[in-house]
Amino acid sequence: MMSLTAAARRSPTLSKKLIQLRHHHPDPFKPTNTKGWKAALAEANIPKTKWDQETAENLQLGLPGASSIDDKTIPTFSRGELPHYAGINTFLKAPFIEDSRVVGNYDVAVVGVPFDGGCTYRPGTRFGPQGIRRISALYTPYNYEKGIDLREQMTLCDIGDVFTIPANIEKTFDQISNAVAHIASNGTMPIILGGDHSIGFPTVRGLASVTSKNIGIIHVDRHADIQEKDLDERMHTTPYFHATNLPNVNPKNLVQIGIGGWQVPRPAVPNMIARETNIFTMDDVEEYGIDKISEMALDRAWDGCDAVYMSYDIDSIEAAFVPGTGWPEPGGLLPREALKLVGNIAKEGLCGMEVVEVSPPYDHADITSLMALRIIVDALGAMVSHGTLKKCMGIFDKEFKPI
């Protein structure tokens, strides 16, 4: 049976009718009509300076490749980004800085917090930083649709992991606060790879300790995480009770998006009411849409504040897409909704962010780790493309004093 398109080729009359029927479709081959063509043309405007420098350095450090290899940029020993299946897996294969004292030479530092001592159900998030770094080898620093290249337009390093104490939550909290405070006080944005969500308190405490300014928090999660204690400790259900006790972190600037389902403990609810936090359920997201929720969240988080911190719990995403987490909950955000939300929030500028509750032992084919990675690079990409990467880093005006 002949297709309609094939018939149109044979019949000028039918072809004319099809054109008339489809006149409202944009012509994909006209660059002014589709974002796809605009993105292709924009690539030429992105410099390749750092890529060329890295390639030359890789040849020097990794030795020139065999004479039989035609591509003379390939070294004998794998160095840098390529090939994606080889090399040492830092985050996006960024430089690993063994000397933490030079972190101030970079715009952004990725730090792992391998800790799951605050879990109240399924552990395994101590392997989250490893999982995210491992799958990050899949990515390049270039994003086609956004027309940006993180390698060319910012500086990124991997400072390694915080030395956590598995059997002691409070000592681990002190370690985390010191690490985050050190990075921020050097004018570098910390990107934290969790770890369970108990780390949400010490990360904010670290930031708050080195600034006299006010910090708002946008917390994306299915769970409220605002109990005072759980199982008699400051577990992963408690970080925002304690974070909003800090003098420069006001609960009215805490915005919680995605809260709901069958896993919000009732002891959390009175604290939400007493502190008058801003709570948006998935029903709110459905009613208002991502753009409006983003707008309201930004208004409330930034009100009277000098910077905003984003805490992203991977379990806020529909459980089918993120099996590798400790408390999966169906009915959450779809991946594209999550990425749009993150982009909307990040483009206004952040003083840091964390992605938590990635548990590789429960993951399948690294899809949860991959989603966590994508959230981070999309946040960085949004800040780079809107020129806000360093917007909030000037707030850190106090000397770092270790706990």
Side-chain angles (χ1 to χ4, degrees):
M1 184 176 180
M2 186 181 299
S3 70
L4 190 60
T5 305
R9 292 196 189 102
R10 295 190 179 189
S11 170
T13 303
L14 181 57
S15 179
K16 186 176 181 180
K17 287 181 179 179
L18 280 176
I19 290 171
Q20 289 173 344
L21 286 171
R22 298 179 180 177
H23 71 278
H24 61 284
H25 291 184
D27 182 349
F29 299 104
K30 286 186 178 180
T32 55
N33 284 344
T34 68
K35 292 180 180 179
W37 265 105
K38 290 176 183 177
L41 295 173
E43 188 275 336
N45 299 321
I46 303 172
K48 297 181 179 177
T49 308
K50 291 183 181 178
W51 169 250
D52 292 338
Q53 291 173 350
E54 185 179 301
T55 301
E57 185 177 282
N58 292 343
L59 279 174
Q60 182 181 12
L61 298 176
L63 305 180
S67 59
S68 59
I69 294 178
D70 294 327
D71 184 349
K72 299 307 178 185
T73 66
I74 294 177
T76 296
F77 295 96
S78 171
R79 295 291 183 269
E81 179 188 332
L82 300 175
H84 291 283
Y85 53 80
I88 307 300
N89 280 349
T90 60
F91 186 85
L92 284 185
K93 293 194 175 176
F96 169 63
I97 56 163
E98 194 164 12
D99 185 352
S100 60
R101 295 168 296 182
V102 301
V103 70
N105 295 338
Y106 298 86
D107 295 327
V108 176
V110 171
V111 56
V113 180
F115 182 69
D116 55 15
C119 283
T120 56
Y121 189 52
R122 301 197 310 197
T125 54
R126 69 177 62 186
F127 302 111
Q130 288 182 355
I132 298 168
R133 285 188 177 106
R134 183 174 60 250
I135 199 63
S136 77
L138 178 68
Y139 273 8
T140 75
Y142 166 65
N143 183 287
Y144 176 78
E145 295 126 307
K146 297 181 186 299
I148 56 173
D149 189 322
L150 299 181
R151 173 171 35 222
E152 301 292 338
Q153 295 168 284
M154 58 170 280
T155 54
L156 173 71
C157 72
D158 192 323
I159 197 172
D161 290 345
V162 175
F163 196 131
T164 58
I165 313 300
N168 194 302
I169 292 175
E170 297 302 327
K171 289 180 180 179
T172 292
F173 283 2
D174 291 347
Q175 290 279 85
I176 295 167
S177 291
N178 281 348
V180 172
H182 168 72
I183 294 168
S185 66
N186 276 275
T188 300
M189 181 186 296
I191 302 291
I192 297 105
L193 313 179
D196 70 52
H197 217 157
S198 68
I199 74 170
F201 163 58
T203 53
V204 173
R205 182 176 65 174
L207 294 173
S209 72
V210 288
T211 180
S212 61
K213 310 297 184 181
N214 295 326
I215 299 173
I217 302 171
I218 294 181
H219 163 220
V220 188
D221 203 331
R222 291 292 276 149
H223 311 106
D225 293 354
I226 197 167
Q227 295 170 238
E228 182 176 5
K229 283 189 175 183
D230 193 354
L231 306 179
D232 207 43
E233 294 287 348
R234 297 203 278 190
M235 306 295 277
H236 66 166
T237 48
T238 70
Y240 298 109
F241 180 93
H242 303 286
T244 56
N245 278 338
L246 298 167
N248 50 348
V249 183
N250 194 310
K252 77 180 182 69
N253 299 117
L254 171 63
V255 182
Q256 301 179 287
I257 302 172
I259 309 303
W262 295 89
Q263 297 172 6
V264 176
R266 290 182 65 181
V269 178
N271 294 330
M272 298 159 78
I273 295 170
R275 300 197 175 200
E276 299 182 335
T277 63
N278 305 282
I279 308 153
F280 297 101
T281 67
M282 283 306 304
D283 287 341
D284 290 317
V285 174
E286 283 284 314
E287 181 175 347
Y288 295 107
I290 291 295
D291 286 337
K292 189 63 178 178
I293 289 291
S294 304
E295 180 186 328
M296 291 189 287
L298 288 164
D299 283 347
R300 297 176 190 190
W302 277 96
D303 184 23
C305 288
D306 304 278
V308 164
Y309 180 76
M310 180 160 61
S311 178
Y312 200 100
D313 190 322
I314 204 70
D315 68 32
S316 65
I317 296 170
E318 163 60 45
F321 298 100
V322 288
T325 189
W327 280 92
E329 174 62 38
L333 295 164
L334 298 176
R336 276 188 292 188
E337 292 176 325
L339 295 175
K340 188 172 186 180
L341 176 66
V342 165
N344 287 348
I345 293 167
K347 70 182 181 182
E348 300 300 328
L350 298 170
C351 63
M353 71 174 290
E354 65 194 14
V355 177
V356 297
E357 297 291 352
V358 174
S359 184
Y362 290 94
D363 207 1
H364 174 72
D366 296 318
I367 61 173
T368 308
S369 295
L370 179 61
M371 192 67 216
L373 165 67
R374 181 65 193 263
I375 285 166
I376 295 167
V377 293
D378 270 34
L380 292 174
M383 287 184 278
V384 166
S385 62
H386 287 82
T388 56
L389 186 66
K390 302 291 283 185
K391 172 182 173 180
C392 297
M393 300 316 295
I395 70 164
F396 297 108
D397 55 1
K398 291 174 65 176
E399 181 184 355
F400 167 48
K401 296 180 179 179
I403 296 173

